[in-house]
Structure formats: C-alpha cells, structure tokens
C-alpha cells in the first residue's frame, strides 16, 4: 500500500502500533484492534483488507522514514563516521519513541510465510545496507574508515550489531536507555572501523 493513506487509516496504524506494544505481535489481531479502537471488525475491514495490509502500511511508513534519514545523511556535509553515527542514533530515537516498530521490523521470522511482508522487510534491509555501504566506501576513500576490510562486511557487522542491541532492548521491556547504550556502542564501533595508526 504505497498510496497516500486517509486520516482513518493513519489512526488505525497508530492504534495498531499501540496494540503491538501492549500485546506483542502475536496479540495483534483484527478483533483486538477493533476493540482497542472502538470499531466493529467490519469497520476496520472497510479501511484495510487484512491484518497483513496494516502491517504492510507500518513497514511502508518505516521504509519512507528510513529512506529520508538515509538521503539526509548521504547528502550531509559531514564526515563518513558522523553520517554513520547520526544515521543509527536517529533510528534509536525512532525506536525509543515507538518501541513497537522494533517488534514489527525485526520480526521477519514471523513473516516467512507472508511473501509481501518478507519482501518489504528485505527491501528495507537491502536499501539500508546499500546506503550504509556507500557511506563506508566514501569514508574509506577519504581515509576516515579502515580500508583493509570490505565495506559490505563492515556494513553487515554494523547493521547486525545494531539489530541485536535494539532487539535486546525490546525483549528486556526497555530495561535500558537505548539512545545511551546505542551511543556507547557507536563509540566502540568508531574505534573498530577507524584506520589503524
């Protein structure tokens, strides 16, 4: 669903994220959604054909936000290291503001049998990985980032580590400050990806 959403659809997406935050991805059903929003189930179906379509709308929303962050950082007149740091910190801030996004975006194993959702998540990950790789390659050419490790490998290490940190935060019921821990983690990663002296 790439078309412009109506106000009612946006409301349903917002409440869906609240429901996922309260009951987890498994508790996200049309019945529970209708009850939480104060609609009948048939009223929900007038705006979205299925639960899958609502999840697709959530993923599209995140994909659009993430694409904007990537564009902004790619075009920013700062070092490659600063671009990487800003990019991940922005995502940590989004996750902190809307924790249920972590449950949706990093629950790809639940989407394995839903081609439209697994394709959407794969697209988000691929776009992010490519943009991050481009930033790293730029930094390698400028001597800011070590060039003895393949840029794609560095991008995969960064993305995988950030994914694990975000999932740990979510699964521990937000038991630590994701932005603070994320900043500390990025400080360590900057040491690892900086050129050897």
């Amino acid at each position: 669903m790439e078309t412009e959403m109506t106000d009612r659809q946006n409301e349903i997406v917002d409440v869906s994220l609240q429901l996922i935050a309260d009951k987890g991805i498994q508790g996200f059903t049309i019945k529970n959604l209708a009850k939480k929003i104060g609609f009948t189930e048939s009223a929900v179906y007038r705006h979205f054909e299925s639960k899958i379509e609502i999840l697709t709308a959530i993923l599209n929303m995140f994909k659009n936000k993430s694409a904007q962050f990537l564009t902004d950082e790619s075009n920013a007149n700062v070092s490659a290291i600063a671009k990487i740091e800003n990019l991940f910190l922005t995502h940590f801030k989004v996750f902190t503001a809307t924790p249920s996004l972590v449950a949706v975006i990093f629950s790809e194993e639940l989407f394995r049998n839903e081609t439209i959702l697994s394709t959407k998540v794969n697209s988000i990950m691929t776009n992010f990985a490519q943009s991050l790789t481009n930033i790293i390659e730029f930094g390698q050419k400028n001597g800011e980032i070590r060039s003895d490790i393949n840029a794609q490998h560095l991008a995969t290490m960064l993305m995988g580590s950030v994914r694990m940190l975000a999932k740990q935060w979510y699964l521990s019921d937000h038991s630590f400050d994701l932005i603070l821990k994320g900043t500390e983690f990025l400080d360590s990663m900057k040491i690892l990806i900086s050129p050897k002296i």
Side-chain angles (χ1 to χ4, degrees), residues 19-37:
L19 181 62
I20 292 166
D22 293 343
K23 296 184 177 288
I25 196 82
Q26 294 85 352
F28 175 55
T29 64
I30 296 295
K31 181 177 182 178
N32 288 340
L33 175 61
K35 184 177 179 182
K36 186 167 183 68
I37 203 169

Side-chain angles (χ1 to χ4, degrees), residues 164-182:
M164 183 175 176
L165 182 64
K167 281 200 85 164
Q168 282 180 329
W169 171 76
Y170 183 78
L171 292 172
S172 71
D173 199 23
H174 325 133
S175 66
F176 57 87
D177 184 323
L178 181 60
I179 296 170
L180 178 62
K181 285 282 189 188

Side-chain angles (χ1 to χ4, degrees), residues 100-135:
S100 48
L101 273 176
V102 176
V104 176
I105 291 150
F106 297 139
S107 292
E108 62 272 12
E109 60 275 3
L110 297 175
F111 301 157
R112 194 169 293 129
N113 296 324
E114 298 294 346
T115 305
I116 190 168
L117 296 178
S118 59
T119 300
K120 185 69 66 178
V121 170
N122 185 53
S123 172
I124 292 168
M125 289 170 59
T126 300
N127 290 345
F128 194 97
Q130 186 57 61
S131 295
L132 183 57
T133 299
N134 292 342
I135 292 170

Side-chain angles (χ1 to χ4, degrees), residues 8-79:
R8 186 63 81 190
Q9 285 176 316
N10 281 315
E11 180 187 3
I12 290 170
V13 164
D14 289 343
V15 175
S16 296
L17 285 166
Q18 292 169 26
L19 181 62
I20 292 166
D22 293 343
K23 296 184 177 288
I25 196 82
Q26 294 85 352
F28 175 55
T29 64
I30 296 295
K31 181 177 182 178
N32 288 340
L33 175 61
K35 184 177 179 182
K36 186 167 183 68
I37 203 169
F39 285 1
T40 61
E41 289 181 51
S42 60
V44 174
Y45 285 119
R46 281 199 291 274
H47 300 284
F48 288 99
E49 290 180 10
S50 65
K51 179 174 85 169
I52 299 303
E53 195 172 70
I54 297 170
L55 288 169
T56 301
I58 291 170
L59 290 172
N60 282 336
M61 177 190 71
F62 179 76
K63 181 180 180 181
N64 293 338
K65 277 186 181 179
S66 189
Q68 187 59 58
F69 301 152
L70 287 166
T71 300
D72 291 347
E73 287 309 322
S74 294
N75 296 332
N77 190 22
V78 295
S79 70

